[in-house]
């Protein structure tokens, strides 16, 4: 319960700051931005006290106090005294409405519930016999995130070690997992320490996507359509299954039974564009946190360009400065968008352009436009100053993270930052690959871009810059992970396309069959995603990850071994020692270590482990003493994959045996 209360406290603090900064926005907007701020304060704010006090109760108490101090100062200095109700719920005639109750209840909440249901039956779901299970999409990545969450909370060390490769520093963006570590540290069970922030972050993504889409399109219907297309995305992969069903009637049923055989994951036909809910938000916690931050960051950037308020530039600078270790790809995407838009808006807008823009966004039309743009020649100077402030704050906050973590991982590592054209397209013509994978977004992007407003054309140019960069440069060992940049492009494209589709809808007002055509377009844009979501729901709790013996052994290890002890285990990705007990292991799975850029070290240690498990007791003793290993773990995976030497094991000191799991201590 303590962890939940801690989390609620920071969400409340975040809301107070959002309420001050965006007082003229309505309550749904402030609740969204407040939730984002609260998560970022806890994720990134804990770094400073943890450097001095470790990741401990004390560091969180210090942060709780420090987080409230600026708001307390604001309240003391406030000249106008208002009641709490007026301060927090001051919606009025002048309030800008981005989202209303109808949109929240009919759109945001249902999509959030779909995500929550999938999360609940995919993350440490109770399994028969006292074990836990996952769904299809969480069978892989979740175990890595659990390792980071438990090790940060259990070991209390900061900066944390990379507990999947003994002797190395954590360079993977870990702030999102550290958020769950905070709840776990304060007594929340591991399952709920993962689920509760995930529930909140996922809803904030849905809310934020709608608000950003509404800002870009300036139409509720277009924003709703963009949300539906984004969260049920999946391209035209469903066509392959329809065609295959002619020859084999079981093709459609296999979608719900076979492992990764869906219209959004169909590698044999080069379908590689995964559904955002099933393959990005639920299993990829850093991507989830990244989207939760990059969406409001883009909104603040657009708002700053429109209003030229220095307070927005300052807020955006602080916010962006927290992003590198939340999600490096999202930070990079924001940087590229910012670079393009800086030059796009460098020239002062003409009065008639400003008036036209104001007419689109304000009921007061040209009256507000006249106030919005100064008629002197001071525009460029003030514009550049605002950007310098934004950039300086961002760099000052982001550089220490990049220098200590990101650059240490990438510098001199040939698996990062290399040339690679055409992403993961292996056999299709270039345009056809994106057409069948992006679906509606690719089909209508050309006319939508042609008919877009001047502001949206500039935003599309920024998106195009990201796309071209990601098409030619691979930023990490797994080239598929460039999709984390492509999805930001995809967000923007979908918003512009949805706005254009609604314009077409209006133009076809008197055309017979308009409703039919609209239904066909929506079905074509969502069917693949809907089928994948159905499959994912069916797979919930299907794949056992840890049995009751694994869980009991992990509890024993937590209670009876030093938190900084190093364990020798097998390389299977389902490993209770690192995932549940939060201990450091000599070598983890290639799914993680290799794709985090340490492939050479992985293969070196893998060969050592395979040899030493089959070797003599003397070999094991010498190896463990040399590498600082105190415990040797043998579970079902080690028995089946490494086939350890029984005589060697008999000479080791047995610490605990539970079922097939045995923990040995190196004498």
């Amino acid at each position: 319960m303590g962890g939940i209360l801690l989390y609620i406290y920071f969400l409340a603090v975040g809301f107070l700051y959002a309420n001050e900064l965006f007082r003229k926005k309505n309550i749904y907007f402030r609740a969204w931005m407040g939730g984002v701020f609260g998560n970022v304060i806890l994720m990134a704010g804990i770094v400073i006290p943890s450097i001095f006090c470790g990741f401990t109760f004390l560091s969180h108490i210090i942060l709780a106090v420090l987080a409230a101090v600026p708001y307390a100062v604001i309240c003391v200095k406030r000249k106008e005294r208002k009641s709490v109700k007026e301060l927090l719920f001051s919606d009025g005639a002048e309030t800008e409405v981005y989202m209303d109750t109808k949109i929240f209840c009919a759109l945001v909440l249902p999509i959030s519930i779909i995500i929550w249901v999938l999360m609940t039956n995919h993350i440490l779901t109770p399994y028969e016999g006292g074990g836990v299970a996952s769904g299809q999409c969480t069978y892989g990545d979740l175990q890595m995130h659990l390792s980071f969450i438990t090790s940060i909370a259990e070991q209390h060390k900061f900066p944390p070690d990379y507990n999947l490769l003994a002797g190395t520093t954590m360079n993977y963006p870990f702030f999102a997992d550290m958020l769950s570590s905070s709840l776990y540290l304060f007594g929340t069970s591991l399952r709920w320490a993962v689920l509760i922030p995930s529930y909140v972050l996922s809803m904030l993504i849905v809310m934020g996507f709608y608000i950003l889409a509404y800002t870009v399109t300036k139409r509720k219907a277009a924003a709703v359509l963009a949300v539906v297309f984004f969260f049920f995305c999946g391209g035209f992969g469903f066509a392959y299954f329809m065609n295959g069903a002619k020859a084999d009637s079981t093709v459609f049923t296999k979608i719900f039974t076979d492992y990764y055989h869906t219209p959004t994951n169909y590698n044999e036909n080069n379908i590689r564009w995964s559904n955002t809910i099933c393959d990005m938000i639920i299993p990829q916690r850093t991507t989830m946190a990244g989207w939760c931050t990059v969406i409001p960051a883009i909104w603040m950037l657009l708002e700053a360009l429109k209003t030229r308020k220095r307070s927005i530039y300052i807020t955006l600078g602080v916010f962006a400065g927290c992003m590198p270790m939340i999600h490096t790809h999202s930070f990079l995407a924001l940087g590229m968008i910012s670079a393009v838009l800086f030059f796009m808006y460098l020239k002062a807008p003409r009065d008639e352009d400003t008036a036209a823009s104001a007419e689109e966004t304000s009921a007061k039309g040209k009256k507000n436009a006249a106030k919005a743009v100064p008629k002197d020649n001071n525009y460029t100077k003030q514009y550049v100053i605002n950007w310098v402030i934004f950039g300086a704050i961002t760099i000052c906050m982001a550089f220490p993270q990049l220098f200590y973590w990101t650059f240490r991982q990438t510098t001199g590592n040939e698996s990062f930052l290399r040339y690679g054209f055409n992403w993961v397209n292996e056999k299709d013509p270039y345009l056809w690959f994106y057409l069948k994978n992006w679906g509606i977004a690719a089909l209508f992007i050309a006319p939508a871009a042609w008919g877009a407003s001047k502001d949206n054309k500039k935003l599309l140019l920024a998106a195009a810059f990201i796309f071209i960069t990601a098409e030619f440069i691979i930023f990490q060992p797994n080239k598929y992970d460039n999709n984390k940049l492509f999805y930001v492009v995809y967000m923007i494209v979908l918003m512009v396309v949805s706005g254009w589709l609604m314009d077409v809808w209006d133009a076809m007002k008197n055309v017979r069959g308009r409703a039919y055509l609209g239904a066909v377009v929506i079905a074509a844009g969502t069917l693949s995603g809907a089928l994948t979501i159905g499959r994912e729901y069916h797979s919930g709790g299907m794949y056992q990850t840890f049995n009751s013996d694994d869980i009991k052994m992990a509890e024993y290890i937590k209670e009876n071994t030093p938190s900084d002890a190093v364990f020798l285990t097998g390389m299977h990705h389902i490993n209770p020692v690192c995932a549940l007990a939060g201990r450091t292991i000599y070598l983890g799975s290639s799914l993680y270590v290799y794709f985090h850029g340490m492939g050479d070290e992985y293969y070196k240690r893998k060969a050592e482990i395979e040899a030493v498990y089959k070797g003599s007791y003397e070999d094991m003793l010498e190896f463990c003493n040399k590498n600082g290993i105190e415990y040797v773990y043998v579970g079902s995976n080690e028995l089946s994959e490494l086939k350890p030497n029984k005589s060697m094991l008999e000479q080791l000191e047995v610490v605990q045996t539970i079922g097939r799991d045995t923990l040995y201590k190196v004498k």
Side-chain angles (χ1 to χ4, degrees), residues 342-405:
F342 168 76
F343 291 105
M344 290 291 101
Y345 287 88
L346 183 59
K347 183 180 177 181
R350 298 176 300 174
D351 289 346
E352 57 267 31
D353 290 340
T354 306
S357 176
E359 284 178 350
E360 292 178 351
T361 59
S362 172
K364 296 184 179 180
K366 295 184 180 181
K367 182 178 179 182
N368 278 357
K371 294 179 180 179
V373 178
K375 295 185 177 181
D376 56 25
N377 296 321
N378 202 36
Y379 172 86
T380 302
K381 177 181 176 182
Q382 294 302 317
Y383 179 83
V384 172
I385 290 174
N386 284 336
W387 275 85
V388 168
I389 292 172
F390 160 44
I393 294 172
T394 301
I395 291 171
C396 288
M397 294 184 63
F399 186 75
Q401 301 172 54
L402 296 170
F403 179 79
Y404 187 82
W405 287 301

Side-chain angles (χ1 to χ4, degrees), residues 532-570:
T532 300
I533 291 170
R535 157 58 181 162
E536 208 58 60
Y537 174 77
H538 180 69
S539 76
M542 180 180 292
Y543 304 98
Q544 183 177 7
T545 48
F546 301 104
N547 59 37
S548 60
D549 292 340
D550 296 332
I551 296 171
K552 292 174 183 176
M553 180 61 80
E555 288 298 318
Y556 177 86
I557 291 172
K558 282 168 41 178
E559 294 173 4
N560 296 279
T561 66
S563 62
D564 60 351
V566 177
F567 287 68
L568 183 65
T569 71

Side-chain angles (χ1 to χ4, degrees), residues 241 248-258 261 535 538:
F241 288 86
D248 181 2
S249 60
T250 66
V251 164
F252 260 92
T253 59
K254 288 180 180 179
I255 293 175
F256 301 96
T257 57
D258 288 8
H261 189 78
R535 157 58 181 162
H538 180 69

Side-chain angles (χ1 to χ4, degrees), residues 285-355:
R285 291 177 54 78
T286 50
T287 299
M288 175 174 62
W291 287 0
C292 191
T293 52
V294 75
I295 290 172
I298 295 172
W299 182 91
M300 282 189 279
L301 180 60
L302 298 180
E303 181 77 354
L305 290 168
K306 182 180 77 171
T307 65
R308 291 191 293 283
K309 290 182 179 179
R310 186 160 294 172
S311 60
I312 303 297
Y313 281 100
I314 293 172
T315 303
L316 178 57
V318 174
F319 190 85
C322 296
M323 288 178 61
M325 289 305 287
I326 293 176
H327 191 226
T328 312
H329 288 85
S330 291
F331 176 73
L332 177 60
L334 176 63
M336 287 192 278
I337 291 172
S338 300
V340 173
L341 293 186
F342 168 76
F343 291 105
M344 290 291 101
Y345 287 88
L346 183 59
K347 183 180 177 181
R350 298 176 300 174
D351 289 346
E352 57 267 31
D353 290 340
T354 306

